[in-house]
Amino acid sequence: MIERLLALLILCIVLGVPLGTALIWTGEVTLDFVYFYPLFMSGLWMVGGLYYWLHWERHWDWGDGVPAPVLRGEPLIVVLLPCFNEIEHGPAAIMAALAQNYQNVKVIAINDGSTDGTDVMLDELAASDDRLQVIHLAQNQGKAMALRMGALAANSEYLVCIDGDVILDPNAVSYLVAPLLDNPRVGAVTGNPRVRTRSTLIGRIQVGEFSSIVGLIKRTQRVYGQVFTVSGAVAAFRRSALVRVGYWSLDMVTEDIDISWKLQRDHWSIFYEPRALCWLLMPETLKGLWKQRLRWAQGGAEVFLKNIPNIWSWQYRRLWPLMLEYFASAIWSFAVVLSIVLWAIGHIVAMPDHLYIQTLLPPAFTGMVLALVCILQFVLSICIDRRYEHGLVRSLYWVIWYPLAYWMVSLSTNLCGFLKVIFKHRHQRARWVSPDRGIKVRRL
């Protein structure tokens, strides 16, 4: 109940209606915030990403022929691969996991009540390679439960969790686990997923998004010490850390965001490792993109509301920037909606001067600055990430559509995500359905 009350309170605050006097500033000031918040965040991400590159990344050897880090003691590494209706993509993911250059690897595939023949496919693969173990769940229990079952069955301290459509780079496991061996307080390491579905405009934009947005955000958050979420597609975990926090929560829509906060509240660090590459499938239809981003937005809102009541103790101070960043992002989404509402009403009925918004378009100078900063961010991110993926420069043309298309998707899904959290039944099991994996898969 407290989470729902908090969500309603936040909705009131960000919509500017908790008090009648709050509307005094909602016109021009709200519109300024809509324009300048993305500008501020873009600058923050560029500074953080550049610092990360200068401080760590530029000193790394990378390229063909550069060996992966040597893992002292050659510990066993278990790759957990939850599967739900993955008969089409599962075999390639499993074979890539088994084909790691690091030899002491075992794969546990968890069939979460699939109905498309995935169970038979997994059993056939397991019969041909004794490094593959298969766990069958009688009914669909959700990804979090599948990961729990896999972790309980694993006999290794180091677990690498991937999605059923992910193709791991041959050295990915080594790069993911090396920070866990070198830093005893690191509880998880998130990898660097790359998009391989790019047959439509939506797919091509996401290629640039994962470099220019996701990559810079991860680098910046790593600089100030905390990461909002590990990648659900590829991440490594220290098993003892998972035991301390009770593994993945079964009632959270995005188990990756929730486990990240659980670990960091228990004072474990999370590292970002851009050399731990994998290739994954992403939605290439508007319907698939909407469902994916709505789930992400709902998961972020759930974790935000779950943690906000008791995060203000001094011992959790390192999580405050993440909380503030998420809260500001939510306010921005609702501020955009409020600006549109005030603009529309003002063209229908007479409005007070302090509420009237004549146009939603930014002033010429502001628009020019936004465009230049956006292009600068894209160019900087491509310069940093091009060592990991060839041909990124070609995505610069497509990624210019990102602000228009994805900002609109972001604010819409944030609004709907908050509403879904308010009306969601508490402790309802989070189960998954087969996601949109793109119209055509590009061959690597």
Side-chain angles (χ1 to χ4, degrees), residues 90-101 105 107 162 166-170 173:
I94 291 172
M95 298 309 295
L98 291 172
Q100 292 294 294
N101 290 331
V105 169
V107 177
I162 64 174
V166 162
I167 306 298
L168 285 175
D169 180 83
V173 163

Side-chain angles (χ1 to χ4, degrees), residues 17-33:
V17 294
L19 296 171
T21 55
L23 287 174
I24 293 176
W25 57 272
T26 55
E28 184 177 348
V29 173
T30 299
L31 200 58
D32 287 342
F33 178 70

Side-chain angles (χ1 to χ4, degrees), residues 45-280:
W45 295 336
M46 284 191 291
V47 171
L50 187 60
Y51 178 86
Y52 183 95
W53 182 81
L54 290 171
H55 189 70
W56 289 295
E57 206 166 351
R58 71 186 179 98
H59 302 294
W60 297 340
D61 291 327
W62 175 261
D64 296 335
V66 176
V70 176
L71 304 184
R72 66 177 186 274
E74 297 186 356
L76 173 65
I77 300 172
V78 175
V79 179
L80 303 182
L81 196 150
C83 296
F84 178 66
N85 292 343
E86 293 289 0
I87 192 170
E88 181 178 358
H89 307 292
I94 291 172
M95 298 309 295
L98 291 172
Q100 292 294 294
N101 290 331
Y102 182 75
Q103 296 298 307
N104 197 11
V105 169
K106 177 182 177 181
V107 177
I108 299 180
I110 306 95
N111 171 37
D112 190 22
S114 299
T115 58
D116 66 342
T118 296
D119 52 348
V120 177
M121 176 269 293
L122 292 176
D123 288 337
E124 290 176 351
L125 289 176
S128 63
D129 196 321
D130 57 7
R131 294 177 300 162
L132 173 61
Q133 177 183 348
V134 178
I135 299 174
H136 295 288
L137 304 183
Q139 296 179 340
N140 179 231
Q141 298 294 313
K143 184 179 177 182
M145 176 60 81
L147 288 170
R148 273 195 184 193
M149 294 298 100
L152 292 172
N155 57 345
S156 170
E157 171 69 357
Y158 306 107
L159 308 175
V160 173
C161 303
I162 64 174
D163 282 346
D165 64 314
V166 162
I167 306 298
L168 285 175
D169 180 83
N171 289 324
V173 163
S174 298
Y175 281 115
L176 285 169
V177 174
L180 297 176
L181 291 172
D182 297 337
N183 304 275
R185 289 305 304 168
V186 172
V189 179
T190 182
N192 186 3
R194 318 299 298 184
V195 179
R196 58 187 174 116
T197 37
R198 52 190 77 181
S199 61
T200 69
L201 175 61
I202 293 175
R204 291 166 183 164
I205 290 176
Q206 289 176 104
V207 175
E209 176 196 16
F210 270 66
S211 297
S212 62
I213 307 295
V214 177
L216 287 183
I217 290 175
K218 286 287 192 293
R219 288 175 172 88
T220 301
Q221 291 177 347
R222 176 67 189 94
V223 167
Y224 61 68
Q226 303 292 297
V227 175
F228 187 81
T229 178
V230 299
S231 170
V234 56
F237 296 92
R238 188 185 303 275
R239 181 175 176 171
S240 56
L242 293 173
V243 172
R244 279 177 55 105
V245 300
Y247 295 99
W248 295 267
S249 300
L250 304 181
D251 59 345
M252 305 298 287
V253 172
T254 49
E255 81 295 327
D256 46 359
I257 303 178
D258 181 65
I259 193 64
S260 304
W261 281 75
K262 289 172 73 172
L263 288 171
Q264 290 173 127
R265 285 191 59 184
D266 196 41
H267 306 293
W268 294 96
S269 296
I270 295 178
F271 279 8
Y272 171 59
E273 177 47 80
R275 292 171 293 181
L277 297 171
C278 75
W279 302 86
L280 77 164

Side-chain angles (χ1 to χ4, degrees), residues 225-377:
Q226 303 292 297
V227 175
F228 187 81
T229 178
V230 299
S231 170
V234 56
F237 296 92
R238 188 185 303 275
R239 181 175 176 171
S240 56
L242 293 173
V243 172
R244 279 177 55 105
V245 300
Y247 295 99
W248 295 267
S249 300
L250 304 181
D251 59 345
M252 305 298 287
V253 172
T254 49
E255 81 295 327
D256 46 359
I257 303 178
D258 181 65
I259 193 64
S260 304
W261 281 75
K262 289 172 73 172
L263 288 171
Q264 290 173 127
R265 285 191 59 184
D266 196 41
H267 306 293
W268 294 96
S269 296
I270 295 178
F271 279 8
Y272 171 59
E273 177 47 80
R275 292 171 293 181
L277 297 171
C278 75
W279 302 86
L280 77 164
L281 303 174
M282 295 292 286
E284 288 196 292
T285 64
L286 286 175
K287 180 180 178 181
L289 180 68
W290 172 264
K291 291 174 64 176
Q292 180 197 62
R293 300 307 165 100
L294 179 59
R295 186 177 66 86
W296 290 1
Q298 182 181 347
E302 285 181 345
V303 172
F304 174 74
L305 295 172
K306 175 183 176 181
N307 287 278
I308 196 172
N310 46 20
I311 201 70
W312 304 113
S313 171
W314 182 251
Q315 62 178 321
Y316 301 130
R317 61 192 179 278
R318 294 183 66 192
L319 289 170
W320 294 350
L322 290 182
M323 191 67 73
L324 179 61
E325 180 182 329
Y326 179 84
F327 187 63
S329 176
I331 290 178
W332 177 84
S333 298
F334 292 112
V336 174
V337 175
L338 180 60
S339 300
I340 294 173
V341 171
L342 292 176
W343 170 81
I345 294 176
H347 285 73
I348 298 174
V349 299
M351 294 278 287
D353 290 342
H354 65 271
L355 293 179
Y356 179 69
I357 295 179
Q358 182 177 5
T359 178
L360 294 174
L361 296 177
F365 178 76
T366 303
M368 182 183 67
V369 172
L370 281 170
L372 289 176
V373 170
C374 186
I375 293 173
L376 180 61
Q377 176 183 325

